[in-house]
Amino acid sequence: MLRRLKKGEMGNFGGIEWRWRDGPENDGLGSLAGVAYFLREPDASLKRYTQDRLFVAAQGDFSRVEQEAVARKWAETIGREFASEGFGNMSVPWLSIALPEKRFEALRREKGWEIPANLLLRFNAYAEPDLPQMTGDVRSDIRYFAASDRIAGATPDIATYDAIVLRDGCFFIDEAGDDDPLAMFGIGTGVYRDSEGHMAFRSRYSNYQPRLARVGTRMQLGYRSEVANPPAELIEACGDHRVVLVKSLDQAAGYGGDWFAVKQYARHHGLSDADAMKQVNDCLVEQEQVMADRRLRGSAVEPQPCPQAVRVMPRPPAPPGTESRS
């Protein structure tokens, strides 16, 4: 049917948008609908090909033959730092939006953007963290916490290592030389006090809480990029310094390891996988603290090697009872 639609309604057919709604239908799986877009006489156009209730007709604003030009135009209009286009075989085209939905809607109203009906907007779930940037027990120690307001685009996967330190309430990357830059963080990064009272970084997603590094310890910062127009509040609070956006804040010792090493360690020592992982994490924290003491306090203690692990980020769960447009 879809092949016949594409051929028979060229210049009229605008693609299919599949919508899934959670609910009690289909033994609790919910319901699926295919919204078929047409430029002219939507209901009559669809009925020429099917009466199946899976499909419903809707008014579209452009046809499939125009979709690439329309999607690219809107990606450029919105700005490629916020939007990127995508295409499916028979689906409507989409824009991946790297902003929270409420902020995008405010921007859309401000700019007067009339988004075409059959151009799908896909909002990144990671653009809306559900935990605060700072917990109450660290807020008074920090002059200004600079964070990006959007999901970072694709960046090179580079391993770079340095400590982020707190100097007079401001976060600096402790590099060689006297020109240390101020640190700016990703939208999903927060800071809190861990179970032992140390100031540390954490994920701002409640369902994803890896063990990130403590402030002052050497960490794997990933790709860094200098911020051309840093927040004026940051410069006012912390002084006129370079500002560098860091990609990740993983414990440096854990970067590049793998889960198989931990499983081998567990078997060798007669431990469960969970106990082995706890020992690994405890060892990584201790190792980084030793290295921080060597760098900041002149300690001569040597860090001990640890088994290593890889952390895989899950997809945030969709709120129950919501309709997904994909």
Side-chain angles (χ1 to χ4, degrees), residues 258-304:
D258 59 69
W259 170 236
F260 298 105
V262 179
K263 292 177 75 71
Q264 290 169 358
Y265 175 80
R267 287 195 297 270
H268 182 73
H269 291 83
L271 301 171
S272 68
D273 289 346
D275 286 340
M277 180 60 80
K278 182 179 186 306
Q279 287 193 19
V280 168
N281 281 331
D282 290 344
C283 178
L284 291 176
V285 171
E286 181 179 353
Q287 183 186 69
E288 291 306 317
Q289 189 65 56
V290 168
M291 295 182 73
D293 287 341
R294 286 171 60 88
R295 179 174 50 80
L296 299 173
R297 302 174 183 88
S299 171
V301 177
E302 292 288 339
Q304 299 301 309

Side-chain angles (χ1 to χ4, degrees), residues 8-265:
E9 300 297 322
M10 183 175 293
N12 184 30
F13 177 52
I16 300 283
E17 179 188 331
W18 296 103
R19 294 185 183 179
W20 184 271
R21 182 187 294 275
D22 293 336
E25 301 87 358
N26 298 320
D27 295 325
L29 293 177
S31 61
L32 179 68
V35 180
Y37 288 97
F38 298 90
L39 274 65
R40 301 178 299 277
E41 300 180 329
D43 290 322
S45 297
L46 179 61
K47 287 178 180 178
R48 286 196 289 270
Y49 299 89
T50 183
Q51 298 289 331
D52 193 323
R53 289 187 298 174
L54 173 66
F55 297 96
V56 294
Q59 181 70 50
D61 293 318
F62 59 89
S63 68
R64 280 186 53 83
V65 295
E66 304 169 286
Q67 69 172 4
E68 183 173 347
V70 170
R72 294 190 190 284
K73 170 195 168 185
W74 276 101
E76 296 287 348
T77 299
I78 295 169
R80 291 198 175 276
E81 69 271 31
F82 301 135
S84 59
E85 67 273 24
F87 309 96
N89 182 27
M90 292 300 296
S91 65
V92 297
W94 64 85
L95 295 179
S96 296
I97 306 295
L99 288 174
E101 187 168 359
K102 287 183 179 179
R103 185 176 169 206
F104 177 83
E105 284 302 312
L107 189 62
R108 183 187 63 78
R109 289 192 296 271
E110 176 190 334
K111 300 290 186 180
W113 293 335
E114 295 293 337
I115 307 296
N118 52 324
L119 178 61
L120 181 64
L121 301 180
R122 292 181 174 176
F123 292 93
N124 193 315
Y126 288 113
E128 301 192 62
D130 61 339
L131 296 177
Q133 289 180 336
M134 296 179 286
T135 54
D137 54 0
V138 301
R139 190 176 298 277
S140 62
D141 296 322
I142 299 171
R143 286 180 179 270
Y144 188 82
F145 187 85
S148 174
D149 60 356
R150 70 201 66 163
I151 296 292
T155 56
D157 189 10
I158 298 175
T160 59
Y161 302 90
D162 272 314
I164 291 181
V165 296
L166 189 67
R167 295 176 184 155
D168 192 23
C170 298
F171 288 106
F172 286 86
I173 302 176
D174 190 24
E175 298 179 338
D178 299 324
D179 186 27
D180 288 347
L182 289 163
M184 186 168 176
F185 305 96
I187 191 173
T189 298
V191 64
Y192 77 125
R193 290 199 185 278
D194 65 19
S195 59
E196 297 180 11
H198 294 278
M199 187 181 290
F201 296 105
R202 70 169 182 176
S203 163
R204 292 183 59 203
Y205 307 104
S206 59
N207 71 314
Y208 176 64
Q209 288 296 311
R211 190 75 169 268
L212 299 183
R214 287 173 173 169
V215 174
T217 61
R218 191 179 65 102
M219 58 191 77
Q220 198 288 109
L221 297 177
Y223 180 76
R224 319 180 198 190
S225 59
E226 192 158 336
V227 180
N229 296 299
E233 297 85 352
L234 172 63
I235 301 304
E236 181 180 352
C238 297
D240 190 10
H241 301 273
R242 293 183 299 125
V243 178
V244 171
L245 178 67
V246 296
K247 180 181 177 182
S248 64
L249 298 162
D250 290 323
Q251 298 175 72
Y255 183 78
D258 59 69
W259 170 236
F260 298 105
V262 179
K263 292 177 75 71
Q264 290 169 358
Y265 175 80

Side-chain angles (χ1 to χ4, degrees), residues 297-317:
R297 302 174 183 88
S299 171
V301 177
E302 292 288 339
Q304 299 301 309
C306 301
Q308 297 175 316
V310 159
R311 302 166 184 83
V312 180
M313 196 168 186
R315 179 177 177 80

